[in-house]
Amino acid sequence: MELKTTIAQGLHVTDDSAGYDAACKRVLSEKAILARIMKSCLEEYKDCDVNDIAEKYIEGQPEVSAVPVLPDEGGTVISGMDTEDKSVREGTVTYDIRFRAIVPDSEEQIALIINVEAQNDFYPGYPLIKRGIYYCSRMISSQYGREFTGSHYKKIKKVYSIWICMKPPQYRENTITRYRLVEEYLVGEGKEPIRNYDLLSIIMLCLGGPDGSNYDGVLRMLDVLLSNETSEAEKRKILQDDYDIQMTQTMEREVSVMCNLSKGVEEKGVAKGILSSIKNLMETMGLTIEQAMAALKVPEGERQKYMDLLERQ
């Protein structure tokens, strides 16, 4: 019997939407994907080979915090960095994907603590960049007692918060923006070694599509990977042929889960819209449910489904 991956099993305890989000994050946590994001967006890795980044510099297994592994079967969370920061006063912050990476060619083995977030809503009620700054601040403050104690602030590790925005506003489509601390000379020049203040960066990767400019490199790779319009076979071909990403069995299954669940999410959205239209026609025009469905040209074979849905409300 064919063995199932952890994510495939875990999907049994999620709905389509939650399962799709979890599948996206698990695909993004693949080292082959993370390595290409790091090479494109992080200065420390721009001259590195992506295979070296994946095999030598990413430490351990990136941890995904979207859902516990097999929560109903007594499983454990994937091993790796703790994806939660707990503070009595500030509450708990859970990161999507969190891992450490070593800076290549550094005199000391300095670790970066990197958080990757997949964001489907660019306007969740607050500026995403502020949340990114907050996450970086928490990742720095949570190092006390782990990376350093007392006044040994020199041991603070640099942190990154990388946001992949799948539905940004048009003016931000196909853009990559970095926010970081920089040194400014207001009077004279009191130059400080960059390593002493370059401790946090927020990267915003805003996806767009082939119709816009700058549709290339990591932006195209992520757009293809996360698109709910690109078929599974087409995704595999583009990732292998254009980005030299060898699809492991696990990754193929996760991409397949994403494609299947995205169809389910889309179909649920369509059904919800039709049901809302039926109800509106019944309330405003005084039509029966049969008349409303006929007016909307709902196929005969689907009408019983909407009648059942309406009865449950």
Side-chain angles (χ1 to χ4, degrees):
M1 184 177 71
E2 191 177 18
L3 293 175
K4 293 184 178 180
T5 60
T6 302
I7 182 170
Q9 297 175 31
L11 289 172
H12 289 302
V13 293
T14 64
D15 62 20
D16 284 354
S17 180
Y20 177 75
D21 288 345
C24 285
K25 291 165 187 174
R26 292 189 186 281
V27 169
L28 288 174
S29 73
E30 287 280 335
K31 289 186 177 183
I33 302 300
L34 291 174
R36 284 159 176 80
I37 294 173
M38 291 165 68
K39 181 176 177 63
S40 299
C41 302
L42 278 56
E43 261 186 322
E44 291 87 350
Y45 303 95
K46 65 181 180 181
D47 298 322
C48 296
D49 179 79
V50 289
N51 293 320
D52 285 343
I53 298 173
E55 296 168 12
K56 296 180 181 179
Y57 302 130
I58 294 177
E59 287 193 320
Q61 177 63 40
E63 181 166 301
V64 181
S65 65
V67 287
V69 178
L70 310 181
D72 292 341
E73 297 181 32
T76 59
V77 177
I78 300 172
S79 62
M81 276 195 70
D82 187 358
T83 57
E84 289 189 348
D85 276 347
K86 298 180 181 179
S87 167
V88 173
R89 296 186 178 182
E90 298 179 52
T92 299
V93 169
T94 303
Y95 304 102
D96 274 1
I97 304 164
R98 194 176 177 191
F99 63 99
R100 293 175 181 267
I102 299 298
V103 177
D105 302 323
S106 60
E107 293 181 5
E108 303 174 58
Q109 290 295 291
I110 302 173
L112 306 179
I113 301 174
I114 303 173
N115 156 239
V116 178
E117 297 276 337
Q119 184 67 32
N120 207 30
D121 184 2
F122 198 81
Y123 296 113
Y126 51 82
L128 281 180
I129 183 60
K130 289 193 174 184
R131 184 172 167 188
I133 293 169
Y134 174 68
Y135 276 23
C136 280
S137 301
R138 284 293 295 265
M139 284 192 286
I140 287 178
S141 67
S142 68
Q143 292 179 45
Y144 185 82
R146 299 177 183 177
E147 307 292 341
F148 72 98
T149 56
S151 59
H152 298 287
Y153 297 105
K154 65 181 180 181
K155 294 184 178 180
I156 293 176
K157 304 296 188 289
K158 183 176 181 178
V159 300
Y160 276 98
S161 184
I162 302 173
W163 294 75
I164 300 167
C165 304
M166 291 175 272
K167 293 182 180 179
Q170 189 173 10
Y171 75 96
R172 296 208 58 168
E173 288 182 350
N174 292 332
T175 62
I176 301 176
T177 310
R178 178 176 60 193
Y179 304 86
R180 60 177 178 171
L181 293 175
V182 296
E183 186 176 59
E184 288 187 276
Y185 307 125
L186 302 183
V187 179
E189 291 188 12
K191 193 168 184 178
E192 182 77 14
I194 190 171
R195 66 178 179 274
N196 290 342
Y197 61 84
D198 183 29
L199 291 176
L200 65 85
S201 289
I202 301 96
I203 311 288
M204 307 286 287
L205 293 100
C206 296
L207 308 186
D211 296 333
S213 58
N214 306 319
Y215 187 69
D216 199 8
V218 71
L219 290 171
R220 176 172 177 256
M221 181 197 76
L222 291 171
D223 183 65
V224 168
L225 185 66
L226 300 175
S227 171
N228 56 12
E229 297 177 0
T230 307
S231 70
E232 180 183 345
E234 191 176 357
K235 287 184 181 187
R236 283 202 304 268
K237 179 173 174 54
I238 292 173
L239 292 174
Q240 289 176 345
D241 294 352
D242 296 355
Y243 296 96
D244 195 29
I245 296 177
Q246 301 305 310
M247 301 285 284
T248 63
Q249 184 182 37
T250 299
M251 192 170 177
E252 282 194 5
R253 287 173 183 264
E254 290 169 352
V255 169
S256 178
V257 167
M258 283 174 55
C259 291
N260 291 335
L261 288 179
S262 68
K263 291 177 184 177
V265 172
E266 183 179 359
E267 288 170 1
K268 282 188 175 182
V270 171
K272 188 176 180 180
I274 292 174
L275 188 63
S276 177
S277 297
I278 292 171
K279 291 170 64 178
N280 287 338
L281 285 176
M282 292 174 65
E283 293 171 3
T284 59
M285 304 293 292
L287 302 180
T288 65
I289 185 171
E290 292 84 0
Q291 291 170 329
M293 288 191 292
L296 292 170
K297 297 183 179 180
V298 176
E300 289 284 350
E302 297 181 12
R303 295 188 180 186
Q304 186 59 48
K305 175 180 71 174
Y306 290 106
M307 294 176 70
D308 293 342
L309 288 171
L310 197 61
E311 285 181 5
R312 294 175 197 157
Q313 294 189 355

